Amino acid sequence: MSSEVRYCDRCSYLFLKFCLIVYATIFWLIGGFILAIGIYAEVERQQYKTLEGVFLAPAIILIVLGVIMFIVSFIGVLASLRDNLCLLKVFLYMLAVCLILELASGILALIFRRQTEDLLNKNIRKGMVNYYDDLDFKNIMDFVQKTFKCCGGTDFSDWKVNMYHNCSAPGPLACAVPYTCCLSKPSEVVNTMCGYEALKKERLENIDVIYTRGCTNAVFIWFMDNYKIMAGLLLGILVPQFFGVIFTWLYITRVEDAIEEYGHYMDGLLDGGPQGTKQQSKWAKCCKCMPLID
């Protein structure tokens, strides 16, 4: 290739190709693994499913995430192996769109925090209606209430929406809250009726018995208190995507430069001359995905 390289001349064609193949392959395998877990979880969920909705179903979330990662990464693997400009650009645009959407979603959620909380509380209340019918939601809600020491979405009174906990319902659960809302010590035996008639009482009367704050606010507070962990998590998600965009963009420029200078995207990319052609021919025999030299 010409000594004049458009961007970052220290990154050679082979270096960028290797990095892009490894990058796309890793995320392709991760996507396939997540997809497999999601499918397995959904199959198991269907066997015990009593609710038709998919609200907060972890299996559905895993399947969607796995499919997106698998398809995008597969395009990246295929494009980098074949040096296909069309696929490379598709891979670049898809990575860029995913990155922009993630950034935009996070920024909008922070700017419109009140609306975000209202939306979450609304969906949580929908899930609480079928708390005992949807085991996925029940497990998530119990975990959140115990971990973040909270009760309900907005506050503990949200449990009135559940037909078993509503004060008009018959049975011992009427006007009560789930035991995961109760204050407890690790050494104590769990009292499943500790929230008995909590919905009949005011917040101050319940403060020594159950957690009275809502889980949405509790989770947001935890995020703010642990901003370093959240920042590290966000960087761990966004930085690899950013580098993927950069590597793909640089690799596209190398292939385009070769096409413009030599008329064929593989001519001159591997040191040129007969020796380079011979070396590439060996690679082509070892890996059928490598393009053949005319």
Side-chain angles (χ1 to χ4, degrees):
M1 290 181 66
S2 172
S3 59
E4 295 183 3
V5 179
R6 277 190 284 173
Y7 307 103
C8 193
D9 56 352
R10 292 185 179 182
C11 297
S12 66
Y13 163 81
L14 284 177
F15 172 77
L16 290 172
K17 185 180 185 72
F18 175 78
C19 288
L20 194 57
I21 291 174
V22 171
Y23 174 88
T25 302
I26 289 174
F27 281 93
W28 182 38
L29 294 175
I30 293 174
F33 180 70
I34 293 174
L35 179 59
I37 293 177
I39 293 173
Y40 172 78
E42 178 62 15
V43 170
E44 291 295 313
R45 191 176 80 95
Q46 291 294 334
Q47 294 179 3
Y48 306 101
K49 184 179 177 184
T50 56
L51 183 66
E52 292 301 321
V54 293
F55 172 74
L56 285 182
I60 301 300
I61 296 173
L62 288 175
I63 289 174
V64 172
L65 178 62
V67 167
I68 293 173
M69 288 185 64
F70 187 86
I71 293 175
V72 173
S73 300
F74 178 73
I75 291 173
V77 172
L78 188 61
S80 56
L81 285 173
R82 294 296 301 171
D83 288 346
N84 188 299
L85 274 178
C86 181
L87 288 179
L88 282 170
K89 289 179 180 179
V90 169
F91 181 59
L92 173 65
Y93 296 148
M94 292 179 77
L95 278 180
V97 168
C98 290
L99 183 60
I100 292 171
L101 287 177
E102 290 168 14
L103 287 171
S105 299
I107 293 171
L108 289 174
L110 290 175
I111 294 175
F112 301 101
R113 177 178 171 177
R114 178 58 58 188
Q115 289 82 350
T116 303
E117 289 183 4
D118 292 341
L119 179 63
L120 288 174
N121 288 330
K122 180 181 178 181
N123 285 317
I124 288 173
R125 281 192 290 271
K126 286 182 179 179
M128 291 167 69
V129 171
N130 301 289
Y131 174 74
Y132 291 103
D133 298 321
D134 189 346
L135 292 179
D136 281 336
F137 177 80
K138 184 179 184 299
N139 291 332
I140 292 173
M141 196 66 190
D142 287 343
F143 172 79
V144 171
Q145 290 185 150
K146 287 190 292 185
T147 303
F148 295 96
K149 298 181 179 180
C150 56
C151 188
T154 306
D155 59 19
F156 70 97
S157 63
D158 284 348
W159 282 104
K160 292 179 181 178
V161 300
N162 185 273
M163 61 183 295
Y164 300 104
H165 291 286
N166 191 282
C167 291
S168 62
L173 293 179
C175 275
V177 295
Y179 73 92
T180 51
C181 286
C182 297
L183 279 70
S184 61
K185 297 179 181 178
S187 58
E188 292 181 349
V189 178
V190 176
N191 177 13
T192 57
M193 294 303 298
C194 56
Y196 181 70
E197 293 191 343
L199 296 178
K200 286 184 177 180
K201 303 174 184 177
E202 297 296 329
R203 179 185 294 268
L204 291 177
E205 296 179 84
N206 285 320
I207 202 166
D208 294 327
V209 182
I210 65 171
Y211 304 118
T212 56
R213 66 174 180 171
C215 289
T216 305
N217 193 42
V219 172
F220 270 108
I221 291 174
W222 186 90
F223 285 164
M224 299 301 292
D225 291 341
N226 297 272
Y227 65 92
K228 291 183 179 179
I229 296 176
M230 295 308 301
L233 181 62
L234 288 174
L235 287 175
I237 295 173
L238 297 177
V239 169
Q241 295 180 62
F242 176 76
F243 277 109
V245 171
I246 297 299
F247 278 128
T248 307
W249 171 61
L250 288 174
Y251 189 63
I252 288 174
T253 63
R254 297 297 183 273
V255 177
E256 287 178 339
D257 288 344
I259 293 174
E260 182 179 353
E261 185 171 354
Y262 298 101
H264 190 285
Y265 67 90
M266 284 307 300
D267 293 339
L269 285 175
L270 296 170
D271 297 329
Q275 185 177 357
T277 302
K278 184 177 180 181
Q279 183 180 0
Q280 176 59 16
S281 299
K282 291 180 179 179
W283 278 104
K285 292 178 181 178
C286 295
C287 180
K288 293 182 180 180
C289 291
M290 293 291 289
L292 296 172
I293 299 299
D294 294 334

